[in-house]
Amino acid sequence: VVALLVSPLGIVSVAGHQIALNFSSLMFVLPMSLGVAATIRVGYRLGEGSAENAKVAARTSIAVGMTMAACTAIFTVIFREPIALLYNDNPEVITMASHLMLLAAIYQISDSVQVILRGYKDTRSIFFITFTAYWILGLPTGYVLALTDYVVPAMGPSGFWTGFIIGLTSAAIMMALRIRWLQN
């Protein structure tokens, strides 16, 4: 949806957004894989009737995921320009993509936490949490920041990426609270 909303902002904005989104998605594979492993490990522990061991598995997965996300965020910040150059050689596109990659680095930790916390298979709550975080908080906030002057002067693609940060962080916080409630 954001790619469609960015398109009227011009080719440089679209190209920079796509580069940052593509690389961010590539980095997301790591926490997503860990989230699948956490689902199996937590499910196994719950299946054997050990809620305490399931809690340890979930906490361990979150710690590993946050560490991994911090490493990928640092990698993204340090190498954002060379990474963007792999995709395109236009200086304006490289500048836009590099800036958006900084914003992508910010949300990598919350993105990692929110995907790993899905391990408790609490699917109904996860649906409502992600729907609220992404579609009610993140996307409208991103739209307002990117394309309107209501809060701040229109930020362009950066506004949508700020919306990503808000949506993913909100999802991570709500899921952490839900998991804590389930564990208790």
Side-chain angles (χ1 to χ4, degrees):
V1 172
V2 171
L4 294 173
L5 295 171
V6 168
S7 64
L9 300 175
I11 193 71
V12 171
S13 294
V14 171
H17 168 74
Q18 284 304 120
I19 291 169
L21 188 61
N22 183 273
F23 186 74
S24 175
S25 297
L26 181 65
M27 292 295 99
F28 180 69
V29 170
L30 296 170
M32 185 174 65
S33 301
L34 183 60
V36 170
T39 299
I40 294 167
R41 188 164 171 81
V42 169
Y44 180 79
R45 297 300 179 201
L46 289 173
E48 69 182 13
S50 178
E52 192 58 38
N53 285 342
K55 190 184 292 188
V56 169
R59 287 183 179 158
T60 303
S61 298
I62 291 169
V64 170
M66 290 177 73
T67 302
M68 215 182 333
C71 291
T72 61
I74 291 167
F75 179 82
T76 301
V77 169
I78 293 171
F79 297 109
R80 67 187 183 276
E81 287 184 19
I83 291 166
L85 279 166
L86 293 172
Y87 290 88
N88 197 303
D89 61 358
N90 181 317
E92 293 176 49
V93 173
I94 301 305
T95 300
M96 175 65 73
S98 297
H99 172 69
L100 296 177
M101 285 177 155
L102 284 175
L103 296 172
I106 293 170
Y107 74 63
Q108 285 183 16
I109 292 175
S110 57
D111 201 13
S112 178
V113 169
Q114 66 93 22
V115 76
I116 291 168
L117 287 174
R118 296 178 186 189
Y120 268 83
K121 296 183 181 180
D122 185 28
T123 55
R124 183 170 297 202
S125 295
I126 290 172
F127 168 77
F128 289 113
I129 287 169
T130 55
F131 180 81
T132 301
Y134 302 161
W135 293 98
I136 296 175
L137 297 174
L139 185 62
T141 302
Y143 181 87
V144 168
L145 293 174
L147 302 176
T148 71
D149 294 328
Y150 296 145
V151 180
V152 295
M155 296 171 62
S158 298
F160 286 114
W161 284 75
T162 302
F164 289 163
I165 294 167
I166 291 168
L168 291 167
T169 303
S170 299
I173 290 168
M174 288 187 278
M175 283 187 200
L177 293 172
R178 175 68 179 169
I179 296 303
R180 177 177 264 173
W181 184 82
L182 285 174
Q183 288 175 339
N184 289 335

